[in-house]
Amino acid sequence: ADGEPKIIDGSAIGTLNSVADHVADYVLANFPAVTRCSNATDACATAYLSTLAGRAYRRQLRQDEQARFVALYNKLRTPQTVNGYEVTFIVQEATSYAVNALLSSPQMLWRWELGDPAMASTSPTGIPLTDQELATQVAFFLTDQPPDDLLLAAANAGTLRANLPAHVSRILQTVTARDWLRAVTEVYFRL
């Protein structure tokens, strides 16, 4: 029913996997256009994947996350023996599989709100959200979408809190925000 929390169960996982498969297939079929890699090189593919991961995670990747993601891509590009045959994925295939893994990761599927314990305060009591978490919350609240490039850039630069009213005003002027807020109002008032 409307307004009830959504629980990810077996049927939802199947849908999420189907979406990840579809997007990965699209990346494979449209590699030059999607990645903007005129030559299918490992450097270009990993640069694309890093940018995509930052957008999917709605924040800059930590060093360990970046290393793990690059290691996955490199493993996909390394010759492997499968059923007695040596298999090596080309750049496009490795990128496609890495996109699938990215879209199935918990960091992509859920919004994490852990806060920054270093910013803990007694007035008000609590641990405030990090700038990236705040950007995600503002974006989803106002648009039901991940943060745009300007909001993420401000969060990554550490200037979001100081300029939050300007960002909220900018976002509220978008068609996306107006459509989302109209939909929320219609559901709330049962229009």
Side-chain angles (χ1 to χ4, degrees):
D2 288 335
E4 289 184 24
K6 305 265 190 278
I7 308 263
I8 295 182
D9 59 9
S11 64
I13 291 294
T15 301
L16 294 172
N17 285 339
S18 293
V19 170
D21 290 344
H22 177 74
V23 172
D25 290 345
Y26 184 85
V27 169
L28 179 61
N30 301 285
F31 183 83
V34 171
T35 62
R36 293 190 174 93
C37 294
S38 55
N39 295 322
T41 64
D42 290 326
C44 188
T46 54
Y48 163 74
L49 290 168
S50 293
T51 301
L52 181 64
R55 296 288 298 156
Y57 287 14
R58 298 164 302 279
R59 61 176 170 75
Q60 291 177 325
L61 271 64
R62 296 187 318 257
Q63 230 175 355
D64 64 316
E65 292 170 327
Q66 182 71 32
R68 192 171 60 243
F69 202 57
V70 170
L72 168 65
Y73 176 82
N74 289 336
K75 183 173 183 174
L76 290 166
R77 290 283 292 139
T78 303
Q80 301 174 41
T81 303
V82 178
N83 294 333
Y85 296 97
E86 189 169 289
V87 176
T88 303
F89 293 114
I90 62 173
V91 171
Q92 295 90 333
E93 292 168 331
T95 304
S96 173
Y97 285 122
V99 166
N100 191 312
L102 172 68
L103 296 180
S104 300
S105 69
Q107 294 87 343
M108 162 61 192
L109 296 175
W110 288 279
R111 291 184 272 164
W112 297 39
E113 295 144 352
L114 303 175
D116 183 359
M119 296 173 56
S121 171
T122 56
S123 177
T125 303
I127 298 174
L129 298 175
T130 65
D131 283 355
Q132 289 82 6
E133 292 168 344
L134 178 60
T136 296
Q137 290 303 312
V138 167
F140 275 98
F141 179 73
L142 297 175
T143 65
D144 194 36
Q145 294 185 8
D148 62 14
D149 291 336
L150 293 173
L151 200 58
L152 274 180
N156 292 337
T159 61
L160 178 61
R161 291 178 196 282
N163 300 305
L164 190 58
H167 285 287
V168 169
S169 294
R170 177 185 60 77
I171 292 168
L172 285 174
Q173 294 174 20
T174 66
V175 173
T176 304
R178 289 184 200 155
D179 290 346
W180 171 243
L181 294 174
R182 179 183 302 115
V184 168
T185 302
E186 289 172 353
V187 168
Y188 183 77
F189 290 110
R190 299 176 190 251
L191 299 174

